[in-house]
Amino acid sequence: MFNLTLYHEVFYQSRIPQVIASIDLSKIQYNPAFCDFLGYTMDEISELTIEFFSHPEDMPMDAQLFEGILSGIRDEYQLEKRFIHKVGDIKTGILNVSRVREQSTGEEFLLGQVLDITEKKQMEMALRHREKKYRLLAEHSSDMIMLHKVDFTYLYVSPSVKTVLGYEPFELIGKNPSQFIHPDDRDEMRRQYRLSANQDSQLITYRCRKKDGSYIWIESTTKTLSDNESGEPKEIVSVSRDIQQRMETNEMLRKSEKLAVVGQMAAAVAHEIRNPLTPIKGFMQLLHSENEINPIYLKVILDELKRVESIISEFLTMAKPHTEKTTFVHINDVVKQIVQLLQTEALMMNKELNFFSSEFIPAIEGDPNSLKQVFMNVIQNALDAITEQGRIEVNISKDKTGVIVQVVDNGCGIPQERLSKLGEPFYSTKEKGTGLGLMTSYRIIESHNGKINIESMDGEGTTVTIWLPYSIN
């Protein structure tokens, strides 16, 4: 069988596993590549039947198709078939079986060729396993895991969207998130995108409409997936969660802190007003006892009354009703008001409070009342940290992107192990402090896209640096 020299050499030297057999399978020849495919030597494999190294689950289909060749229904067939390696491993190949006639002799025989796809099948199985694992995580996560096109149109939505927003996943497929975002938050989201244009990952907070029409606060982290070859954005993955309860808790803490700040401001104003009232009361008593008007007395009284009027005006400016709407804020004016309000209190305690500013500081965009609350907290904390004859310097400067407010004191300082906990609720370095003031300050500065940095050495003092970006307009 198969005596032609040329074809004989091609068969044996081929790197494709091949087998040649007579129609009745009484004679079978394997090439070396087939032996390598299953791990046997020529002598070992010649003693085995095809059924021995064929996977039993694939044999019925192979036998059925082979019967079609023997009966003349077909001349060839193709089958994905599993083979059993000598060491017990499963090898997978695409088996092609053809009925071939040798024209010179008229002899017919069967030619089988195997394309080894074992590695490909293993990779596919690993990929399916990984996909199954990640899908399992996505479908059982309390967070909403979503896959978007580059324009953010939904491609996949995890089942948790039903719990959070009330929608079935299929109701969102093909739609754009902008359809569900609160109209007041759309401009802010676009602004955050511009600020994070060069970042692959970004965190966005916004209000999203539920199926019942109500809105809740959502926090989303988005990650851009790029094409490995071109580097172009291909898809976007977002992980979103319900933070409504957190926002409500933060608002309650903020209101609580506002009451504390009002108490501090009231105490500061009381100190300020008490000073001019003392000479007014004394000179009024002199006028009453002398029964005549002394111009010198009147001038002192009027000057002190003007001072009282100025203090009250400053207090009323700071006590205006709070509004969430942002406007252009001149940080110079805001910080200067706070410093003037607290300077008298500092002098009474024999403490020094100084204010320095660059010649021109551009305006920023923000909420002036919230920022006043921050600077009131920070400067008041500095006053509490220094002892008699202590010194505080408030410096305002600028860089290319924003305004820098620096509050430096030479007080007791903060140990390094306690610095990392600053800003946590109910953690304070003061005996009667709640920690809510600094925590609220962090929240306010973060909402203005700014940063707070605190540097301190135990026994040497503390430097609080607040950076606020210029208005993008």
Side-chain angles (χ1 to χ4, degrees), residues 162 164-167 180 208-216:
K162 173 73 173 176
V164 179
L165 298 177
Y167 299 100
F180 306 94
C208 187
R209 187 179 73 244
K210 299 176 66 176
K211 192 170 183 178
D212 61 10
S214 62
Y215 285 88
I216 61 169

Side-chain angles (χ1 to χ4, degrees), residues 157-423:
V157 180
S158 65
S160 54
V161 72
K162 173 73 173 176
T163 305
V164 179
L165 298 177
Y167 299 100
E168 295 291 346
F170 69 85
E171 294 181 89
L172 300 183
I173 302 300
K175 296 183 179 179
N176 194 284
S178 61
Q179 299 175 237
F180 306 94
I181 295 172
H182 195 287
D184 294 344
D185 294 340
R186 290 172 190 166
D187 289 341
E188 176 62 19
M189 286 194 68
R190 282 191 286 268
R191 189 171 77 90
Q192 290 191 37
Y193 278 128
R194 289 196 296 269
L195 289 172
S196 307
N198 297 323
Q199 299 179 9
D200 290 335
S201 180
Q202 54 188 342
L203 181 66
I204 304 170
T205 303
Y206 56 94
R207 286 166 290 179
C208 187
R209 187 179 73 244
K210 299 176 66 176
K211 192 170 183 178
D212 61 10
S214 62
Y215 285 88
I216 61 169
W217 282 99
I218 296 291
E219 182 180 78
S220 295
T221 301
T222 63
K223 173 73 175 179
T224 302
L225 305 179
S226 302
D227 186 89
N228 291 332
E229 295 181 359
S230 65
E232 293 294 322
K234 184 173 61 173
E235 292 172 334
I236 297 172
V237 175
S238 69
V239 180
S240 306
R241 62 181 53 183
D242 176 4
I243 58 167
Q244 181 68 24
Q245 187 174 2
R246 188 208 304 175
M247 297 295 285
E248 291 174 354
T249 302
N250 288 342
E251 184 61 25
M252 290 177 63
L253 290 172
R254 188 168 176 174
K255 289 179 179 178
S256 173
E257 181 57 25
K258 284 179 186 176
L259 293 175
V261 171
V262 168
Q264 292 177 353
M265 291 170 61
V269 170
H271 281 299
E272 285 276 4
I273 293 179
R274 184 180 297 150
N275 288 336
L277 283 180
T278 301
I280 290 174
K281 182 179 179 181
F283 282 110
M284 289 296 293
Q285 290 174 342
L286 287 175
L287 288 173
H288 178 71
S289 62
E290 294 179 1
N291 291 322
E292 64 179 31
I293 297 177
N294 189 324
I296 298 176
Y297 296 170
L298 284 177
K299 184 178 185 307
V300 173
I301 292 172
L302 290 173
D303 289 343
E304 295 301 321
L305 285 173
K306 286 181 181 179
R307 174 62 180 157
V308 171
E309 183 182 18
S310 173
I311 295 169
I312 293 174
S313 297
E314 289 179 5
F315 182 75
L316 291 175
T317 299
M318 297 186 66
K320 284 180 181 178
H322 177 73
T323 174
E324 294 294 337
K325 293 184 178 179
T326 59
T327 183
F328 291 107
V329 181
H330 292 279
I331 294 297
N332 259 1
D333 297 339
V334 172
V335 177
K336 191 173 183 179
Q337 283 184 1
I338 302 294
V339 171
Q340 288 176 345
L341 196 60
L342 296 176
Q343 265 180 338
T344 302
E345 178 184 350
L347 290 172
M348 291 181 64
M349 295 185 291
N350 200 19
K351 298 177 181 180
E352 186 179 344
L353 176 57
N354 300 313
F355 175 78
F356 304 96
S357 175
S358 300
E359 185 175 346
F360 173 73
I361 301 294
I364 68 163
E365 189 176 3
D367 176 15
N369 294 292
S370 296
L371 293 173
K372 288 174 184 175
Q373 183 176 343
V374 171
F375 297 127
M376 186 76 179
N377 282 330
V378 172
I379 298 175
Q380 185 65 56
N381 285 344
L383 279 173
D384 294 340
I386 61 177
T387 58
E388 190 173 348
Q389 295 184 347
R391 185 180 71 258
I392 299 172
E393 291 185 359
V394 181
N395 300 287
I396 301 181
S397 58
K398 62 182 179 179
D399 59 19
K400 293 181 179 179
T401 56
V403 178
I404 303 169
V405 180
Q406 201 169 58
V407 180
V408 183
D409 69 66
N410 62 348
C412 58
I414 304 169
Q416 291 298 312
E417 64 272 13
R418 304 181 73 176
L419 269 178
S420 60
K421 295 184 178 181
L422 292 180

